[in-house]
Amino acid sequence: VGVGEWAPTTPGVAPLGNPNYGSISAGCGYGSAEYQTPVVLFHDRRRWDVVQTYPSSAELCRDKVFLPPWDDAGIANGTCADRTGATGDDCCSCTFSEAEYAMADEWGNGLGQRPWAAGIYRRRSDGREVCVVAGEFPHPLANVTLWDLNGQSTWTSSGSEEPYTIMPYVCTSQYSPDICVPNLEGTSVVFGTDVFARSVAEFCSGGGDLAGGDGDAATSLQERDVIILADTNAGMGDFASSKLLTDPFYSALADSGDLQPYTCCNDTSYDGGMNRYASDRIMVVGKTDSSIKVNDLEGGSVAPGGPLPEDLPLVCHAEQEHAPV
């Protein structure tokens, strides 16, 4: 399996031009009729059969990669501008709820467009099923009070009605996750993940019956492990992935257990450096007696701004490009 947020494609040609690989695609364009963020989950057809997908439309969301000018039928012409979840007749999928999007705008910290897609796969060699999820979280927000030189809180001196300041980035970097602004449903320390946290649990444990799925997966919640491939927008590598999602479904959420690699981003165009954040993570949720684990993790730099491994460098050398893991 693999995940890509941008990838070259040609209409009518298999993803990356390789017939051995299939894909599940989604786009988040809520609040915008002009711009969307896509996500693509790839699988090796020689080893895995697709049991169910989210979004569920095989015609609109399978074996393609969404790119500008956003003219694919599943996301075209503002299809996703007013919805955060797929209906079965489109490929619209965002991590956040409409209520979260509106509240973040009120705070002046827009959530952007954060997509996710998922698939339940059955391994051909032994019939074992696994649920794989790919996505991107909003930047974590922190609930803090700042003080000016006169000893007054900034919300008082600025005339704000709220006794706090909402700040992006810092709750997974400089401070405890206790100051993170949780999502509205209380299932994650990352604001803007209501739909992701709830829907991944429903999809992966319910036989793929989310958003029009046919529910033909053979195994139950206790028998299917979960792999999450995500740009979490987390800050420091010592922030454990297990702290990100707090719903009981994710109680066994784990990463490699080591310091997470620094992958974000190629910000050299404005002297922002590169690889300052440990954003991109591979996480697993063990649900079986032989639960899946992350034994080895390669890629990224071992410290902020550090060099990348020679065999896993930047590929496109584009602005804001993330290093592979």
Side-chain angles (χ1 to χ4, degrees):
V1 296
V3 57
E5 289 182 296
W6 299 92
T9 188
T10 302
V13 178
L16 302 180
N18 190 330
N20 292 324
Y21 289 86
S23 71
I24 304 167
S25 298
C28 177
Y30 186 77
S32 174
E34 299 178 355
Y35 182 79
Q36 302 191 54
T37 297
V39 67
V40 188
L41 176 61
F42 298 99
H43 68 278
D44 189 335
R45 302 178 195 267
R46 297 164 295 184
R47 299 183 179 184
W48 299 91
D49 290 322
V50 178
V51 177
Q52 188 60 53
T53 71
Y54 179 81
S56 62
S57 174
E59 178 182 357
L60 298 175
C61 314
R62 291 272 298 276
D63 299 333
K64 57 185 63 181
V65 178
F66 297 145
L67 290 172
W70 317 119
D71 53 3
D72 285 274
I75 61 171
N77 301 320
T79 297
C80 302
D82 61 352
R83 63 191 65 175
T84 61
T87 64
D89 296 319
D90 58 65
C91 308
C92 307
S93 178
C94 301
T95 64
F96 49 77
S97 63
E98 295 179 15
E100 286 181 303
Y101 187 91
M103 186 171 293
D105 266 3
E106 291 179 7
W107 292 334
N109 282 284
L111 297 179
Q113 282 107 5
R114 312 294 176 176
W116 70 280
I120 296 175
Y121 302 94
R122 184 177 296 128
R123 188 160 57 188
R124 291 188 171 188
S125 61
D126 59 5
R128 181 174 180 175
E129 290 183 4
V130 64
C131 186
V132 186
V133 185
E136 176 189 3
F137 293 176
H139 291 280
L141 302 177
N143 186 337
V144 298
T145 298
L146 304 179
W147 304 90
D148 63 23
L149 294 177
N150 297 318
Q152 288 187 312
S153 62
T154 53
W155 65 271
T156 300
S157 58
S158 67
S160 171
E161 297 180 357
E162 303 292 352
Y164 54 77
T165 300
I166 301 296
M167 296 178 61
Y169 315 121
V170 297
C171 82
T172 57
S173 298
Q174 303 171 14
Y175 303 107
S176 162
D178 292 340
I179 70 166
C180 292
V181 180
N183 63 6
L184 292 181
E185 295 183 0
T187 54
S188 172
V189 299
V190 181
F191 190 84
T193 56
D194 272 357
V195 174
F196 180 91
R198 172 180 8 99
S199 298
V200 167
E202 292 176 3
F203 176 81
C204 291
S205 64
D209 57 357
L210 186 66
D214 56 20
D216 63 349
T219 52
S220 65
L221 168 63
Q222 292 76 24
E223 299 172 332
R224 185 185 301 119
D225 293 329
V226 181
I227 302 172
I228 300 176
L229 316 168
D231 171 6
T232 66
N233 275 307
M236 294 296 101
D238 59 358
F239 186 91
S241 302
S242 59
K243 299 178 181 179
L244 290 169
L245 296 163
T246 55
D247 183 273
F249 177 82
Y250 305 97
S251 60
L253 183 69
D255 51 34
S256 62
D258 300 320
L259 186 71
Q260 296 303 291
Y262 291 81
T263 59
C264 175
C265 309
N266 183 6
D267 293 333
T268 54
S269 63
Y270 59 90
D271 298 323
M274 61 189 304
N275 309 329
R276 295 182 300 162
Y277 306 109
S279 298
D280 301 282
R281 304 192 176 202
I282 298 175
M283 302 167 282
V284 295
V285 185
K287 297 289 185 180
T288 68
D289 292 338
S290 57
S291 293
I292 193 169
K293 297 179 180 179
V294 182
N295 294 320
D296 297 294
L297 183 64
E298 299 182 12
S301 57
V302 297
L308 297 173
E310 291 184 1
D311 58 341
L312 287 170
L314 294 176
V315 177
C316 302
H317 299 284
E319 292 186 17
Q320 303 180 13
E321 179 182 355
H322 291 221
V325 291

